[in-house]
């Protein structure tokens, strides 16, 4: 196309056609220098055209289609404003061209498609402008109307409009707390045929897969979906024939998957966590070398990997300094959306907490607490994210209480943990477990046996639910090693100290019962033979004991709540149970 541009005299109409086609190829390749060259070529081709004409409007649409991704990469408001202005200027002209009666039906269809695409682009622009801000009902209605008109004018882009509807619904479920089960919605997210947008279906398919994998991991701790997503992304990365317009973005996405899997495995002392973390660092470093619009995200991944590699038993201040430096730079980057910038406060706060604890620096602990509080307060109160953020704030309050030793801080941290545990409830098994466990361990260390008993019981119940949610025994056992060393013993001891004896016994039985359940229910093949009859019999006896203990715990709880209950007989009964 460049050679053709040199051959065509600039005054000829064909010169404009060549310039537009060259700009299209450059925009599709999407390198930073290509993008600038395409923008220059299009604006030069548009300059001699009369505003209000079809060609002028079509070039407006092309330029806007380039400005919107540029805004997402660099977050410059002027790019979004210019894109919206051009789209609004092009829309009535393209509508008029689409309604004009012409002898060539292909031309009419092409103009109708352009009229639909301009509305789709406007809907994307309004959605992007709303990112990270409070819900605006007027803007929502505007987007819905634009998508409906786009689909009417150009039915071939219905897959794109449908996908955008699903993503908006999912965002409302995840971020705004408007959906009872956003993870179930994520499972139903489908892309379909991308119509006239080459390469878009594959890109959006990868995005949808990442949403589903992270949703399963966050709700139930399921690592299998993350494994599958990593396999898909690695295959795409290794494909020599695959064209990737923004390779840094895919590298960062894959690095994030490895980093999340490494952190999840490390919580269970899995020896392969280190290899995943090194792979994440390798990919993020490669993304930094490639350049493009994902630099800040790559720095965030590198910073989190550095933080995860830090070991309190072998403290290395340089590791924490490097993590804080990378995370500060990544969180302050201009390429992040408001929502991503808010999320980036979390790993930065974690690094500051670790460094503040190591150096005994209360100012850094306070800064971390302020970052986590700001992160929480920017999230809708009814959402899963807000409940998770409240859990993080409670954990930071515990760290501050450890440092100050103030009774007021201790009580404030305990109250925050109790409220965070209640808020997260059944929204996320993983976060409910981690929140309750942190509360339990903190209460155990500070001798608050009533809180420890309550928190440990909740921790064990959630752990059992997480283990049953896994699709294989291997992952069930991985979950049952998630920071569980000494958990059952401490739980039973705390419950015994509070004279909750049936629940203490139930805590001791539950771990074994869950593993046997996983063996029989998930890996039933191979355990049905006569030689495995003793295993099945032990399982049945464990279940019977567990059921009896649960029934006794419920009866005792109801009797404690009964105001007519005689405490003397209770003491006598408990003494017998204690001997048993």
């Amino acid at each position: 196309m460049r050679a053709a541009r040199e051959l065509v005299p600039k005054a000829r109409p064909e010169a404009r056609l060549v310039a537009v086609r060259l700009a299209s190829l450059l925009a599709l390749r999407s390198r930073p220098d290509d993008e600038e060259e395409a923008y220059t070529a299009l604006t030069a081709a548009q300059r001699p055209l009369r505003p209000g004409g079809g060609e002028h409007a079509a070039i407006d649409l092309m330029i806007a289609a380039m400005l919107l991704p540029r805004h997402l990469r660099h977050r410059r408001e002027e790019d979004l404003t210019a894109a919206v202005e051009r789209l609004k200027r092009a829309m009535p002209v393209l509508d008029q061209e689409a309604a004009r009666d012409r002898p060539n039906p292909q031309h009419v269809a092409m103009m109708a498609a352009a009229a639909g695409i301009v509305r789709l682009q406007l809907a994307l622009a309004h959605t992007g402008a709303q990112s990270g801000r409070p819900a605006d009902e007027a803007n929502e209605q505007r987007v819905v109307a634009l998508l409906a008109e786009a689909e009417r004018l150009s039915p071939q882009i219905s897959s794109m409009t449908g996908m955008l509807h699903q993503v908006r619904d999912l965002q409302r479920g995840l971020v705004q707390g408007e959906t009872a089960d956003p993870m179930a919605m994520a499972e139903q997210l489908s892309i379909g045929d991308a119509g006239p947008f080459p390469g878009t279906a594959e890109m959006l398919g990868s995005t949808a897969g990442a949403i589903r994998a992270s949703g399963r991991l966050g709700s139930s701790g399921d690592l299998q979906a993350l494994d599958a997503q990593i396999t898909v992304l690695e295959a795409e990365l290794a494909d020599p024939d695959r064209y990737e317009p923004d390779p840094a973005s895919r590298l960062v996405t894959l690095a994030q998957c490895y980093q999340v899997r490494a952190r999840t495995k490390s919580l269970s002392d899995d020896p392969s966590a280190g290899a995943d973390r090194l792979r994440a660092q390798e990919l993020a470093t490669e993304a930094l070398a490639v350049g493009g619009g994902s630099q800040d995200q790559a720095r965030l991944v590198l910073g989190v990997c550095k933080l995860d590699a830090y070991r309190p038993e072998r403290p290395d201040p340089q590791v924490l300094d490097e993590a804080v430096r990378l995370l500060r730079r990544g969180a302050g980057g201009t390429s992040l959306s408001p929502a991503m910038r808010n999320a980036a406060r979390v790993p930065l706060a974690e690094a500051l907490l670790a460094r503040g604890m190591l150096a005994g620096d209360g100012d850094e602990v306070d800064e971390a607490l302020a970052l986590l509080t700001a992160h929480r307060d920017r999230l809708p109160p009814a959402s899963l994210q807000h409940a998770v953020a409240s859990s993080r704030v409670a954990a930071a309050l515990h760290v501050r209480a450890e440092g100050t030793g103030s009774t007021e801080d201790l009580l404030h941290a305990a109250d925050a943990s109790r409220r965070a545990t209640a808020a997260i409830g059944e929204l996320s098994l993983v976060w409910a477990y981690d929140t309750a466990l942190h509360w339990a361990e903190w209460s155990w260390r500070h001798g608050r046996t009533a809180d420890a008993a309550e928190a440990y019981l909740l921790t064990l119940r959630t752990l059992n639910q997480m283990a049953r949610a896994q699709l294989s025994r291997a992952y069930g056992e991985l979950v049952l090693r998630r920071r569980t060393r000494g958990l059952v013993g401490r739980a039973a001891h705390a419950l015994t100290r509070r004279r909750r004896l049936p629940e203490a016994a139930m805590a001791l039985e539950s771990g074994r019962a869950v593993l046997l359940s996983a063996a029989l229910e998930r890996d039933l093949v191979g355990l049905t033979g006569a030689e495995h009859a003793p295993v099945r019999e032990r399982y049945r006896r464990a279940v019977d004991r567990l059921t009896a203990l649960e029934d006794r715990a419920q009866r005792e709880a109801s009797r404690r709540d009964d105001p007519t209950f005689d405490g003397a007989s209770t003491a006598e009964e408990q003494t017998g149970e204690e001997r048993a």
Side-chain angles (χ1 to χ4, degrees):
M1 293 309 299
R2 282 180 174 139
R5 184 176 58 180
E6 297 301 320
L7 293 172
V8 179
K10 288 185 170 51
R12 299 278 302 175
E14 290 85 352
R16 188 163 56 252
L17 177 62
V18 171
V20 168
R21 289 189 176 176
L22 174 60
S24 299
L25 289 171
L26 291 167
L28 185 63
R29 196 164 67 174
S30 193
R31 296 173 184 168
D33 51 345
D34 291 338
E35 187 180 88
E36 201 56 44
E37 184 181 351
Y39 183 79
T40 303
L42 286 174
T43 50
Q46 190 186 44
R47 201 170 293 122
L49 295 173
R50 176 182 60 83
E55 279 190 89
H56 191 280
I59 293 178
D60 266 341
L61 176 57
M62 291 183 68
I63 293 174
M66 290 176 51
L67 289 172
L68 288 174
R70 184 193 290 186
H71 165 70
L72 292 176
R73 279 194 293 273
H74 305 296
R75 297 294 161 182
R76 291 195 296 257
E77 286 298 321
E78 57 267 27
D79 289 337
L80 183 61
T81 302
V84 172
E85 287 177 355
R86 287 182 178 275
L87 290 169
K88 286 182 176 179
R89 184 170 67 187
M91 187 160 64
V93 179
L94 294 174
D95 286 351
Q96 187 177 4
E97 292 291 326
R100 187 175 297 177
D101 189 17
R102 294 180 181 270
N104 185 351
Q106 289 184 342
H107 184 81
V108 175
M110 184 179 68
M111 298 312 296
I117 291 170
V118 75
R119 285 167 171 79
L120 177 63
Q121 295 282 6
L122 260 179
L124 288 169
H126 288 307
T127 301
Q130 192 65 25
S131 175
R133 299 176 183 174
D136 182 347
E137 189 59 35
N139 189 70
E140 289 288 313
Q141 292 177 357
R142 188 184 302 118
V143 170
V144 170
L146 285 167
L147 292 176
E149 273 294 291
E151 193 167 348
R152 182 186 66 80
L153 289 164
S154 182
Q156 64 264 40
I157 64 172
S158 60
S159 60
M160 292 293 294
T161 58
M163 180 275 301
L164 189 55
H165 277 305
Q166 290 182 71
V167 170
R168 289 173 59 254
D169 289 342
L170 180 60
Q171 183 182 28
R172 284 199 296 272
L174 288 171
V175 178
Q176 297 173 16
E178 294 182 11
T179 303
D181 191 358
M183 298 311 168
M185 186 182 294
E187 286 292 325
Q188 298 169 6
L189 182 63
S190 60
I191 302 304
D193 181 15
F197 302 94
T200 305
E202 292 180 359
M203 179 187 71
L204 294 174
S206 296
T207 302
I211 290 173
R212 284 192 290 269
S214 60
R216 291 176 196 166
L217 180 65
S219 61
S220 65
D222 177 20
L223 273 175
Q224 284 195 320
L226 195 60
D227 290 346
Q229 184 65 18
I230 287 173
T231 301
V232 169
L233 290 171
E234 285 282 16
E236 292 173 351
L237 193 65
D239 185 357
D241 299 323
R242 180 182 175 83
Y243 170 69
E244 185 60 66
D246 185 10
S249 175
R250 187 169 296 275
L251 288 168
V252 168
T253 300
L254 183 54
Q256 288 171 328
C257 290
Y258 272 110
Q259 181 270 313
V260 170
R261 191 169 75 173
R263 175 172 279 197
T264 304
K265 286 180 175 179
S266 67
L267 292 172
S268 300
D269 296 325
D270 190 296
S272 64
D276 280 350
R277 186 165 55 250
L278 289 175
R279 178 61 174 153
Q281 290 181 234
E282 174 190 324
L283 291 163
T285 303
E286 187 178 348
L288 283 173
V290 168
S294 301
Q295 304 288 288
D296 295 320
Q297 290 169 272
R299 290 188 185 95
L300 289 173
V301 173
L302 276 175
V304 173
C305 287
K306 294 281 186 184
L307 178 62
D308 288 348
Y310 172 74
R311 292 290 174 265
E313 63 272 15
R314 298 191 301 274
D316 184 348
Q318 291 184 344
V319 172
L320 288 179
D321 290 344
E322 181 67 7
V324 170
R325 185 187 67 79
L326 286 165
L327 291 168
R328 276 199 193 279
R329 190 170 177 190
T334 58
S335 67
L336 301 180
S337 68
M340 291 171 65
R341 194 174 298 116
N342 189 34
R345 290 185 171 99
V346 173
L348 175 57
E350 290 177 348
L352 288 169
L353 279 174
R355 195 165 72 172
M357 290 172 66
L358 178 63
D361 188 344
D363 290 339
E364 289 208 322
V365 173
D366 288 341
E367 182 186 356
L369 184 56
L371 284 168
L372 292 172
T373 303
H375 167 70
R376 181 198 62 191
D377 293 346
R378 282 168 172 77
L379 298 169
S383 66
L384 169 61
Q385 282 87 340
H386 190 279
V388 171
S390 297
S391 171
R392 289 189 169 111
V393 170
L397 287 169
H398 287 305
V399 173
R400 189 175 69 176
E402 292 275 7
T404 63
S406 163
T407 303
E408 184 179 353
D409 287 343
L410 293 173
L411 293 173
H412 182 37
D415 183 59
S417 284
R418 183 179 289 102
R419 286 187 283 107
T421 305
I424 207 161
E426 295 296 326
L427 293 174
S428 167
L429 291 176
V430 173
W431 273 101
Y433 172 77
D434 287 346
T435 304
L437 179 60
H438 189 90
W439 177 25
E441 290 177 338
W442 181 87
S443 301
W444 175 269
R445 287 197 304 272
H446 290 83
R448 299 178 61 86
T449 55
D451 285 348
E454 179 184 352
Y456 273 129
L457 194 58
L458 182 59
T459 302
L460 285 172
R461 287 172 180 165
T462 309
L463 178 66
N464 295 342
Q465 288 177 307
M466 265 204 307
R468 291 187 177 104
Q470 305 311 305
L471 300 179
S472 72
R473 186 180 183 188
Y475 279 125
E477 292 177 348
L478 183 68
V479 163
L480 286 169
R481 295 196 303 271
R482 186 184 177 100
R483 298 166 59 195
T484 56
R485 187 173 298 171
L487 170 63
V488 174
R490 291 195 302 272
H493 182 76
L495 289 162
T496 302
R497 288 284 302 274
R498 300 305 298 174
R499 306 198 61 78
R500 298 169 69 171
L501 303 177
E503 291 167 313
M506 186 175 70
L508 290 170
E509 291 286 350
S510 59
R512 282 188 294 168
V514 169
L515 274 180
L516 285 169
S517 175
L520 290 174
E521 294 175 13
R522 306 294 167 82
D523 298 325
L524 194 58
V525 176
L527 289 173
T528 55
E531 68 275 17
H532 294 116
V535 175
R536 294 195 299 274
E537 181 58 31
R538 288 203 306 273
Y539 167 69
R540 280 193 289 270
R541 286 201 302 268
V543 169
D544 290 343
R545 286 199 304 272
L546 187 59
T547 302
L549 288 165
E550 286 175 338
D551 291 343
R552 188 184 299 178
Q554 289 174 356
R555 285 198 306 272
E556 184 165 309
S558 63
R559 293 173 72 186
R560 280 198 301 266
D561 293 337
D562 186 353
T564 64
F565 179 53
D566 182 2
S569 61
T570 309
E572 186 176 337
E573 182 181 346
Q574 286 175 338
T575 302
E577 289 174 354
E578 189 170 0
R579 283 196 299 272

